[in-house]
Amino acid sequence: MNKTIDQLIQSFEPRSKNRKQIFNDFLYHCFTTIESLINSEKRKRKKDKYVIMRQNLMNYLIANERKVTSKLYR
């Protein structure tokens, strides 16, 4: 999971300077990135895998907001 988060952090570019807004933009970035994976996949089983992965990632990010925010500012 951390490898995925690190890759998403590297591909993320914040639009504002407000910490809360940056975190919310990062959540949106993660959601849309995985959503594009889901839409590009043709097999239902793979789609279901990505949906579960997206939900787990969102839960992890929300639960560990401080840790993720500190990684965003490095």
Side-chain angles (χ1 to χ4, degrees):
M1 182 76 74
N2 287 336
K3 192 179 246 186
T4 305
I5 294 172
D6 290 337
Q7 290 172 346
L8 287 169
I9 288 173
Q10 290 177 356
S11 66
F12 174 68
E13 293 183 26
R15 296 181 186 161
S16 69
K17 296 192 183 227
N18 183 355
R19 288 194 123 172
K20 188 65 174 174
Q21 185 63 36
I22 289 174
F23 181 73
N24 290 338
D25 288 344
F26 180 68
L27 287 177
Y28 179 75
H29 171 71
C30 294
F31 187 88
T32 55
T33 302
I34 297 177
E35 185 71 23
S36 67
L37 288 173
I38 292 170
N39 292 335
S40 68
E41 192 60 49
K42 295 181 180 176
R43 290 175 277 164
K44 181 165 174 40
R45 192 170 194 174
K46 270 287 208 195
K47 283 185 179 187
D48 292 342
K49 174 186 168 188
Y50 286 133
V51 168
I52 293 169
M53 184 176 87
R54 180 184 63 197
Q55 187 60 42
N56 290 339
L57 178 66
M58 290 295 135
N59 289 340
Y60 177 83
L61 291 174
I62 291 170
N64 298 299
E65 181 177 349
R66 287 185 182 185
K67 187 176 179 183
V68 172
T69 305
S70 68
K71 280 189 174 184
L72 284 171
Y73 282 101
R74 286 188 187 170

